Amino acid sequence: MSSRKPGGPKGRRLGIHVVTWNVASAAPPLDLSDLLQLNNQNANLDIYIIGLQELNSGIISLLSDAAFNDSWSSFLMDTLSPLGFVKVSHVRMQGILLLVFAKYQHLPYLQILSTKSTPTGLFGYWGNKGGVNICLKLYGYYVSIINCHLPPHISNNYQRLEHFDRILEMQNFQGQDIPNILDHDLIIWFGDMNFRIEDFGLHFVRESIKNRCYSDLWEKDQLSIAKKHDPLLREFQEGRLFFPPTYKFDRNSSNYDTSEKKRKPAWTDRILWRLKRQPQAGPHTPGLPAPDFSLSQRSYGSYMTYTISDHKPVAGTFDLELKPLLSAPLIILMPEDLWTLENDLMVSYSSTSDFPRSPWDWIGLYKVGLRDIHDYVSYIWVGDNQVSFSDNLNQVYIDISNIPATEEEFLLCYYSNNLHSVAGISRPFQIPLFSLREDPLGEAQPQI
């Protein structure tokens, strides 16, 4: 804190919860409260990052999901939207799905730059294996999020590492003003990585798990071994594996595989992260100031009570501390200047001088508790319904004739077509209720 200049942006701490789960084509369970930390009053979460593998990707399911939200996305939106979380982006490749939710207060500071799919199955032509990526700017910092599903089986370790490298290499952003992924401030990489435990037999592994003696198993974990020999992989950090291996279980139980194959348990489901390299202090540069962007892990563990899949879900909770590079929204919507005339709602807004306007920008009116940016009750193109404008102040009106009288609270969001993101959001407000009554002369008069 002492390195920050007086009057500069104040530091922020964001709580981020990352979940990875191979759901084995199963539908969502009835309750995800534990996995999502909904019962933890001290969680203080701002962002959810949720990656699923092996979603049902049959033809009928894919066609249905193309027209509507898949069952997992719908369930998660229904669960998180009442708590103020909005789905800001998603990307899906066959059975691999990545979702990002954020508290609506953060939307003006969160810009989606790119979504990308990298298939690695069937020589790079089939998306049953591979990775999906969401690249975004968070308070001005570059963040890349990757959810992957790597090849299975203990003998395919070299192939897994090859696919890991290929996914990373394919995250280029040619033609876009986005730096190389290795120059991003943060990479969060997780998924069903399918790394196994070498050398030890089934009986030894199960006895070690039963006695919670995980340290011997760590030494033979393929990912841990690979990090010792691969300089790039070594830059990715991971919390200690103080939880039982998350694969393979009998479905609808917490018993490890009892089928004829009796697969050896393994930590297949992992969460890694990598921070951009910071300048190293040397003899000529003593006492470098504390970085303006840092990540620390609060918790890392599996959730054994969920039994719909042969994998157990894994989650990690992080604290991201940053000094915002973007400290004010590009658009300021002013609900205090709202007023209604017949069936129209007047809205005033201002923008920064460098805001990249577009005739395709629009303002949406939402009920508090919106699920995603398309969950509006009314909207207008900013260029169509403009009433007045000056160098920095604009007024537009929104038709609210189809909105029933209600005391519910609403929000306004300004969506930028050039930025593909929300550029401004209002505080919650209530729409004044106007009704018409007959006066003694028989003329209709507006009345609040």
Side-chain angles (χ1 to χ4, degrees):
M1 295 291 289
S2 61
S3 67
R4 294 173 184 150
K5 296 180 181 179
K10 293 182 179 179
R12 295 194 68 109
R13 174 181 291 179
L14 303 179
I16 302 176
H17 193 63
V18 181
V19 174
T20 178
W21 195 1
N22 182 323
V23 298
S25 299
L30 296 176
D31 185 17
L32 287 176
S33 297
D34 288 342
L35 181 60
L36 299 177
Q37 296 282 294
L38 302 185
N39 298 324
N40 183 354
Q41 296 180 351
N42 298 318
N44 295 323
L45 296 175
D46 299 274
I47 296 172
Y48 281 96
I49 299 172
I50 300 171
L52 305 176
Q53 307 86 38
E54 289 195 21
L55 257 66
N56 188 342
S57 55
I59 295 297
I60 295 176
S61 176
L62 284 175
L63 289 174
S64 174
D65 294 346
F68 310 99
N69 284 310
D70 65 273
S71 60
W72 280 91
S73 295
S74 295
F75 182 82
L76 289 165
M77 285 191 286
D78 289 342
T79 302
L80 294 174
S81 61
L83 304 176
F85 288 91
V86 181
K87 188 187 81 173
V88 294
S89 187
H90 77 283
V91 57
R92 179 173 179 178
M93 180 179 68
Q94 290 184 218
I96 306 173
L97 174 67
L98 174 59
L99 299 150
V100 176
F101 294 82
K103 281 278 184 72
Y104 68 81
Q105 300 96 312
H106 300 298
L107 295 186
Y109 308 100
L110 202 159
Q111 180 188 350
I112 303 301
L113 300 176
S114 171
T115 60
K116 189 165 187 175
S117 301
T118 306
T120 59
L122 197 62
F123 306 103
Y125 292 100
W126 194 243
N128 64 323
K129 296 294 186 288
V132 293
N133 168 263
I134 294 175
C135 175
L136 55 88
K137 288 183 83 171
L138 179 62
Y139 285 91
Y141 293 92
Y142 287 96
V143 178
S144 269
I145 304 164
I146 300 174
N147 172 25
C148 73
H149 192 183
L150 302 182
H153 308 308
I154 191 169
S155 59
N156 287 333
N157 190 39
Y158 179 80
Q159 191 179 10
R160 273 188 286 279
L161 296 172
E162 189 179 60
H163 285 207
F164 190 98
D165 290 340
R166 189 184 308 169
I167 292 169
L168 192 61
E169 290 170 3
M170 293 300 293
Q171 305 312 310
N172 50 44
F173 307 98
Q174 294 179 357
Q176 299 170 275
D177 189 20
I178 304 174
N180 182 282
I181 188 170
L182 294 179
D183 291 321
H184 289 188
D185 299 284
L186 173 64
I187 303 172
I188 299 177
W189 192 328
F190 58 93
D192 180 1
M193 297 187 177
N194 260 321
F195 290 105
R196 307 304 170 98
I197 297 172
E198 292 185 343
D199 297 343
F200 295 134
L202 174 65
H203 178 73
F204 180 86
V205 171
R206 289 194 173 182
E207 283 298 308
S208 297
I209 296 169
K210 182 180 178 181
N211 297 320
R212 298 185 179 182
C213 296
Y214 302 132
S215 57
D216 291 335
L217 305 182
W218 296 338
E219 296 178 4
K220 297 299 181 179
D221 170 67
Q222 289 178 331
L223 177 57
S224 301
I225 294 171
K227 289 180 70 174
K228 295 177 181 178
H229 302 96
D230 188 323
L232 180 57
L233 193 56
R234 196 181 305 137
E235 293 180 7
F236 286 86
Q237 302 179 58
E238 183 183 19
R240 296 299 296 271
L241 300 170
F242 287 120
F243 53 89
T246 54
Y247 176 83
K248 175 184 181 17
F249 290 84
D250 293 335
R251 289 204 191 196
N252 302 312
S253 81
S254 290
N255 300 320
Y256 284 104
D257 187 15
T258 59
S259 68
E260 291 183 6
K261 292 184 178 180
K262 289 188 178 179
R263 292 179 180 85
K264 190 164 57 174
W267 286 290
T268 56
D269 311 281
R270 314 289 277 267
I271 299 173
L272 313 178
W273 73 93
R274 177 188 183 274
L275 288 166
K276 184 178 178 180
R277 286 185 231 167
Q278 299 292 330
Q280 298 295 318
H284 303 294
T285 56
L288 284 172
D292 294 331
F293 188 93
S294 63
L295 188 76
S296 58
Q297 190 173 57
R298 278 192 236 162
S299 63
Y300 186 36
S302 60
Y303 291 76
M304 293 295 175
T305 57
Y306 295 99
T307 61
I308 60 171
S309 169
D310 54 356
H311 289 251
K312 300 299 183 183
V314 171
T317 306
F318 299 85
D319 284 320
L320 176 61
E321 297 195 47
L322 55 85
K323 182 179 178 182
L325 301 177
L326 177 66
S327 56
L330 299 174
I331 295 287
I332 296 177
L333 293 154
M334 290 165 277
E336 63 268 20
D337 292 336
L338 291 168
W339 56 279
T340 55
L341 179 64
E342 296 182 352
N343 294 321
D344 296 328
L345 179 71
M346 197 71 67
V347 180
S348 299
Y349 69 92
S350 62
S351 61
T352 58
S353 59
D354 59 346
F355 176 69
R357 295 175 181 271
S358 165
W360 299 107
D361 291 353
W362 50 275
I363 295 175
L365 177 66
Y366 302 83
K367 289 184 179 179
V368 170
L370 64 152
R371 291 154 49 97
D372 64 19
I373 196 61
H374 301 292
D375 199 18
Y376 46 75
V377 295
S378 185
Y379 74 96
I380 50 101
W381 302 103
V382 294
D384 289 351
N385 293 15
Q386 196 155 354
V387 177
S388 65
F389 66 93
S390 62
D391 291 340
N392 198 37
L393 185 64
N394 302 266
Q395 283 191 321
V396 295
Y397 64 87
I398 299 178
D399 182 4
I400 58 170
S401 58
N402 294 324
I403 301 175
T406 177
E407 294 185 356
E408 292 182 276
E409 288 192 312
F410 291 82
L411 289 167
L412 290 165
C413 291
Y414 186 110
Y415 186 85
S416 168
N417 184 66
N418 287 329
L419 300 178
H420 307 293
S421 303
V422 172
I425 189 168
S426 74
R427 295 193 301 272
F429 62 90
Q430 288 183 317
I431 297 177
L433 302 177
F434 277 77
S435 63
L436 293 177
R437 63 175 176 83
E438 295 290 330
D439 71 356
L441 299 178
E443 296 179 353
Q445 300 289 335
Q447 177 185 354
I448 298 179

